[in-house]
Amino acid sequence: MPIDAPANDLDALRALVSQLTSERDAAIAESRRLTEQNDQLRHLLKQLQRAQFGQRSEQLDRDQMQLALEDIETALANRDAEEPQQNSTADKPADHRKKRRSNRGALPAHLPHVHMTIEPESTACPCCNGAMHVIGEESSQRLDKIPAQYQVVVTHRPKYGCRACEGAVIQAPAPERLIKSGIPTERLVASVVVDKFAWHNPLYRQAQIMKLQGLPVDRSTLAFWVGVAAAELKPIYQRMKEILLGSSKIAVDETRAPVWIPAAAGPRPATSGRSRATTGRGVDPILPPSSIPMRLDGAACTRPLC
């Protein structure tokens, strides 16, 4: 609507005021969005500067930097997704439309491929109503995921008897179980162990995830499963230890991590880390993981590291 509306046209003036109010609100919202984005970028810039030029104790490791980048990239993607809703791309010229950023590569061929064919509602010719045949197709690929699903494995062991001989009964022996009289299969126990030690998913979180599936498995039960699995894997650990000690040189990560340990006056901060891993005469022996020392205020603590 033109700004120079007649002064005596009240409807035109009301429409003009409404239009200007909408434009003002849109400008304020855009200003706030840009301010929030600039604040996030400034925060990321400070983290990058601290990671590169800060003191050693203030420098961020690669994982922490990846978390910061994830937040920024998520915010930018959210902004790009909201823009088409606020301003339709059909109203913008072709040269002003932003091309969506994508990191699309070839999907692995070893993954299962589920083919879905979408047929038209009618395959009759719209001109002569005759039957039509396929002359080509367009195909596209998308990456999908099947969420983790628990299942119950029911094992049946039928008994066979002879009608002629009353005492002749045969039955297949029951398969061995990792946990005697327990409900988990070996695959479930392996999944719990891998999630805990490889993907750093603690047991109480795994218990919460299982509870969402209607499985009230307590954290202590999961800990028992992990302990049984550790006992079964101990021969592999001992063999790996023999191979390790047979080497002439060993490189070990000595990075320390802050932990909490119980004390007489309550939990107190401490640090834990791997011991020295060297071989040869006249040097300290390599300590197994179950007896890694922990230090509290400079004093050695022999409590095993969990």
Side-chain angles (χ1 to χ4, degrees), residues 283-302:
V283 296
D284 296 337
I286 300 178
L287 299 178
S290 59
S291 60
I292 296 178
M294 302 176 64
R295 296 187 176 277
L296 173 63
D297 298 336
C301 178
T302 58

Side-chain angles (χ1 to χ4, degrees), residues 29-286:
E30 181 68 12
S31 176
R32 291 177 180 174
R33 184 185 64 81
L34 293 177
T35 301
E36 293 177 358
Q37 179 182 353
N38 291 335
D39 293 339
Q40 292 176 346
L41 293 176
R42 290 192 187 97
H43 178 67
L44 176 61
L45 180 59
K46 291 181 180 179
Q47 287 184 327
L48 292 173
Q49 291 176 345
R50 186 176 64 178
Q52 184 174 4
F53 305 108
Q55 298 180 0
R56 185 173 182 180
S57 60
E58 297 179 355
Q59 292 181 357
L60 301 178
D61 56 17
R62 182 178 179 85
D63 294 337
Q64 290 177 325
M65 186 56 58
Q66 292 295 331
L67 291 176
L69 293 175
E70 288 178 4
D71 295 338
I72 298 300
E73 292 172 349
T74 301
L76 295 178
N78 187 15
R79 181 204 62 180
D80 295 341
E82 291 178 351
E83 282 185 354
Q85 300 176 1
Q86 298 175 356
N87 302 320
S88 176
T89 56
D91 300 336
K92 295 184 179 180
D95 53 348
H96 287 80
R97 297 176 186 174
K98 294 183 179 180
K99 185 177 180 180
R100 184 177 65 88
R101 297 186 301 270
S102 61
N103 185 19
R104 183 178 303 171
L107 296 178
H110 69 274
L111 295 178
H113 286 60
V114 180
H115 295 272
M116 301 175 58
T117 303
I118 303 177
E119 295 285 354
E121 295 181 358
S122 175
T123 57
C125 179
C127 301
C128 64
N129 203 25
M132 306 182 70
H133 63 279
V134 179
I135 60 175
E137 69 174 9
E138 293 182 358
S139 62
S140 61
Q141 295 184 355
R142 296 189 303 167
L143 186 62
D144 191 18
K145 178 183 179 181
I146 301 177
Q149 180 180 1
Y150 295 94
Q151 62 182 3
V152 179
V153 178
V154 182
T155 303
H156 299 275
R157 295 188 298 126
K159 296 181 179 180
Y160 293 89
C162 180
R163 289 187 174 92
C165 306
E166 296 181 358
V169 178
I170 61 174
Q171 184 184 24
E176 291 291 336
R177 295 187 178 185
L178 178 63
I179 299 179
K180 305 300 182 182
S181 302
I183 62 174
T185 62
E186 289 73 16
R187 286 186 298 185
L188 179 57
V189 176
S191 175
V192 172
V193 173
V194 171
D195 287 347
K196 174 177 173 58
F197 294 102
W199 305 119
H200 309 288
N201 192 9
L203 297 180
Y204 75 91
R205 291 182 181 175
Q206 297 189 45
Q208 293 174 353
I209 295 174
M210 298 180 70
K211 187 176 181 180
L212 295 177
Q213 298 289 338
L215 298 172
V217 180
D218 192 69
R219 179 195 57 81
S220 60
T221 302
L222 297 179
F224 174 74
W225 296 354
V226 173
V228 174
E232 295 293 331
L233 294 173
K234 189 173 183 180
I236 300 178
Y237 156 74
Q238 292 177 346
R239 178 55 182 164
M240 294 177 63
K241 180 181 177 182
E242 293 177 359
I243 298 175
L244 181 66
L245 296 179
S247 303
S248 59
K249 296 181 180 179
I250 300 175
V252 175
D253 182 13
E254 297 181 353
T255 304
R256 293 182 174 272
V259 297
W260 286 86
I261 64 173
R268 304 182 63 181
T271 57
S272 66
R274 295 180 176 89
S275 61
R276 290 174 289 179
T278 57
T279 57
R281 297 181 179 178
V283 296
D284 296 337
I286 300 178

